[in-house]
Amino acid sequence: MKRSEINRAVQRAVELLGQEGIGLPAFGYWKLEDWKQNRDRLEIIRQTMLGWDVTDFSSGDFLHTGSVLFTIRNGSPSGTGTPYAEKLIFQRHETEQEIPFHFHRIKTEDIINRGGGILQLQLYCSGPDGTLDREREVEVFCDGIRHRIPAGTVVEVQKGCSITLVPGLYHRFWAKKGAGDLIAGEVSSVNDDRTDNCFLQQRDRFSVIEEDEEVLFPLCNEYGKLLFSE
């Protein structure tokens, strides 16, 4: 991805938050110089990868396969940070921008429609070998209510509602076209994006960045390079 594309995507997410009346922690609005001035106080933010995360999942087509995320809280197996994670996830509706099929080995997560458009998810069980099971019925809880649905069903989650995704459950999700850009929330067990994502197709979780303009918002996977390499 180009740095200019990342900068614009974060700015668009900040604008959407403003429209929906949702605020971020102070560091969510910091520019690179603010990060550098505070770097001696950022141990937990760095270790638990809080902050902005923009990825195209190595698709080369961010507008269709990609996401902007902001991790508000997180922890680590060593006990650093919190014993849970919380994120905001931003998806563009006009291209039905999606997070591609994947499941988690360890993490259980609630995905919540926080504002904007309509959240759509497609669900499958995973097989013993990690493949997608196109036959087995899916059991899923939406706001604590159990549902049994055919494999591959697309579930819609309206504003304020949520769906619980357990380890081994394949899911992809996007903003419904025509309903507006989406702010989804994620509340989960501790999140480890480096090791806990099992993609159906080969994907890189973090994008290679082409530096075509100045960094406005450092991403959570590049604090070491941008803040501590001097």
Side-chain angles (χ1 to χ4, degrees):
M1 292 186 66
K2 292 183 177 182
R3 181 67 66 176
S4 57
E5 190 174 22
I6 291 169
N7 288 340
R8 301 296 90 74
V10 173
Q11 290 172 324
R12 183 180 176 118
V14 170
E15 291 172 3
L16 182 58
L17 287 168
Q19 293 168 16
E20 293 294 320
I22 300 173
L24 295 175
F27 68 86
Y29 305 100
W30 285 356
K31 300 298 173 51
L32 181 57
E33 190 56 36
D34 300 311
W35 284 93
K36 289 182 176 180
Q37 290 175 2
N38 286 279
R39 60 186 168 189
D40 293 338
R41 302 190 294 153
L42 304 180
E43 295 87 353
I44 289 179
I45 287 177
R46 182 184 181 187
Q47 291 176 30
T48 61
M49 299 181 71
L50 307 187
W52 291 106
D53 175 6
V54 182
T55 179
D56 66 354
F57 300 99
S58 68
S59 69
D61 185 8
F62 173 71
L63 289 181
H64 291 89
T65 304
S67 186
V68 178
L69 309 94
F70 187 90
T71 301
I72 304 168
R73 281 165 269 274
N74 196 18
S76 71
S78 66
T80 301
T82 58
Y84 56 88
E86 181 181 1
K87 294 184 181 185
L88 294 173
I89 305 169
F90 304 84
Q91 302 298 129
R92 297 178 64 154
H93 77 97
E94 73 273 20
T95 55
E96 295 187 298
Q97 182 185 44
E98 72 166 45
I99 294 180
F101 272 125
H102 66 288
F103 68 83
H104 303 290
R105 298 182 178 91
I106 297 173
K107 182 173 72 173
T108 295
E109 56 187 343
D110 277 352
I111 304 297
I112 308 145
N113 186 335
R114 293 294 194 195
I118 296 173
L119 170 63
Q120 293 188 309
L121 306 94
Q122 188 176 26
L123 306 175
Y124 290 91
C125 296
S126 58
D129 57 355
T131 57
L132 188 146
D133 188 334
R134 296 185 180 277
E135 303 297 331
R136 184 151 52 108
E137 184 180 69
V138 174
E139 181 177 273
V140 66
F141 285 81
C142 297
D143 299 308
I145 300 172
R146 184 174 59 190
H147 300 265
R148 289 191 174 94
I149 57 177
T153 296
V154 173
V155 178
E156 286 196 353
V157 180
Q158 303 292 327
K159 185 181 293 189
C161 299
S162 69
I163 185 169
T164 300
L165 306 175
V166 298
L169 181 61
Y170 266 116
H171 54 283
R172 69 180 183 99
F173 63 87
W174 63 95
K176 184 176 182 180
K177 190 172 184 178
D181 288 350
L182 172 72
I183 304 174
E186 176 186 317
V187 177
S188 72
S189 48
V190 167
N191 177 76
D192 182 357
D193 277 321
R194 297 190 186 277
T195 64
D196 195 39
N197 299 297
C198 299
F199 289 99
L200 182 60
Q201 298 178 338
Q202 180 60 44
R203 300 283 185 181
D204 294 326
R205 175 59 181 80
F206 300 104
S207 299
V208 175
I209 300 174
E210 177 185 340
E211 301 292 353
D212 65 328
E213 68 178 39
E214 295 297 316
V215 176
L216 293 184
F217 302 92
L219 303 184
C220 64
N221 62 310
E222 56 181 3
Y223 294 147
K225 176 181 72 174
L226 294 179
L227 306 181
F228 298 95
S229 60
E230 298 177 359

